[in-house]
Amino acid sequence: MADQADTRALLRLVTWLSPAFPVGSFAYSGGLEQAVHDGLVTSAEELRLWLETLLTRGGMWNDAVLLAESYRGHDDPRRLKAASELAEALAGSSERHMETVLQGEAFLAAARSWPSAVFELLGPVAVYPVAVGAVAGAHGTGLRSSLAAFLGAAASNAVSAAIRCGVIGQRDGVAVLAGLENTIAAVAERAAQSSLDELGSATIMADVSSLRHETLYTRLFRS
């Protein structure tokens, strides 16, 4: 029975964080499109370093901490509300705010196919990492596994954006993800033991790219 439960948990994570899950992740680049435009990311190695920095000390790290907080507090509406409000406050640009709010709303709408009381606790609006964390916690998918799946999906989406921007090809994209595997595992482990006191980022160029993207004249992505 335990093996069956673990398999169901894995299947849910794979489904919820699949590119096919209707949260519109394909429409966002998190400022990467602007970084490509400005010549900051021009190769597979530069993309790997860009994503590694975001994972270890940027927005992806903050999202992981917020997901862990929401996973642990999935049955506490005040804790979930506080986490969601904090996540909104940490959005460094209007596009980053739009991205995390709209993806959170879309995730909750689609995830209702797996009934749970957590949806009533969250309400109709929760930013993306909080929504994923709370739903994953309610379904007992495992905190470390949930973090790894979430971070892996975020990195995969960024690689897909880079491919569509013409920076790399699909084979290089796979190599970038393979090169990030150990980093993702380490960040998931660290985030699983984190508290909100460990929120914070030091990725100024990525934040500036996200802000500059708001006025990029021709673009493929919404962020």
Side-chain angles (χ1 to χ4, degrees), residues 27 113 151 184 187:
S113 294
L151 293 171
I184 290 171
V187 171

Side-chain angles (χ1 to χ4, degrees), residues 171-218:
R171 188 170 298 176
D172 282 340
V174 171
V176 168
L177 291 174
L180 290 171
E181 192 173 273
N182 289 339
T183 298
I184 290 171
V187 171
E189 179 64 28
R190 178 181 160 209
Q193 303 175 57
S194 69
S195 71
L196 292 179
D197 291 337
E198 294 173 72
L199 284 168
S201 65
T203 50
I204 296 173
M205 290 306 300
D207 294 337
V208 170
S209 293
S210 182
L211 289 166
R212 283 173 50 79
H213 190 262
E214 297 174 11
T215 57
L216 186 63
Y217 181 71
T218 302

Side-chain angles (χ1 to χ4, degrees), residues 3-222:
D3 288 344
Q4 290 181 357
D6 290 344
T7 300
R8 283 196 297 271
L10 175 61
L11 286 171
R12 288 174 185 179
L13 288 175
V14 169
T15 300
W16 294 339
L17 296 165
S18 161
F21 204 68
V23 296
S25 58
F26 65 89
Y28 304 99
S29 79
L32 180 59
E33 182 176 23
Q34 183 67 52
V36 171
H37 179 270
D38 291 339
L40 299 173
V41 177
T42 63
S43 66
E45 178 59 15
E46 288 178 351
L47 175 63
R48 186 191 66 78
L49 290 171
W50 181 272
L51 294 178
E52 186 176 82
T53 304
L54 290 176
L55 283 161
T56 56
R57 57 181 65 89
M60 290 184 184
W61 164 251
N62 281 342
D63 282 352
V65 173
L66 290 162
L67 189 154
E69 168 69 11
S70 305
Y71 187 101
R72 291 188 292 260
H74 66 86
D75 57 352
D76 185 340
R78 291 185 180 180
R79 194 170 174 180
L80 293 174
K81 184 174 185 293
S84 197
E85 289 176 348
L86 182 56
E88 284 197 64
L90 287 169
S93 67
S94 63
E95 290 192 351
R96 172 61 176 155
H97 181 270
M98 172 188 66
E99 178 178 352
T100 193
V101 169
L102 292 183
Q103 283 193 273
E105 291 177 359
F107 178 84
L108 290 178
R112 286 181 179 274
S113 294
W114 291 264
S116 171
V118 72
F119 297 108
E120 303 309 316
L121 300 180
L122 278 166
V125 179
V127 299
Y128 190 41
V130 173
V132 174
V135 172
H139 287 273
T141 56
L143 178 53
R144 286 167 178 78
S145 296
S146 300
L147 285 162
F150 180 86
L151 293 171
S156 294
N157 188 66
V159 166
S160 175
I163 291 171
R164 282 177 281 164
C165 284
V167 175
I168 57 173
Q170 291 182 325
R171 188 170 298 176
D172 282 340
V174 171
V176 168
L177 291 174
L180 290 171
E181 192 173 273
N182 289 339
T183 298
I184 290 171
V187 171
E189 179 64 28
R190 178 181 160 209
Q193 303 175 57
S194 69
S195 71
L196 292 179
D197 291 337
E198 294 173 72
L199 284 168
S201 65
T203 50
I204 296 173
M205 290 306 300
D207 294 337
V208 170
S209 293
S210 182
L211 289 166
R212 283 173 50 79
H213 190 262
E214 297 174 11
T215 57
L216 186 63
Y217 181 71
T218 302
R219 59 190 194 177
L220 298 173
F221 301 95
R222 300 183 71 184

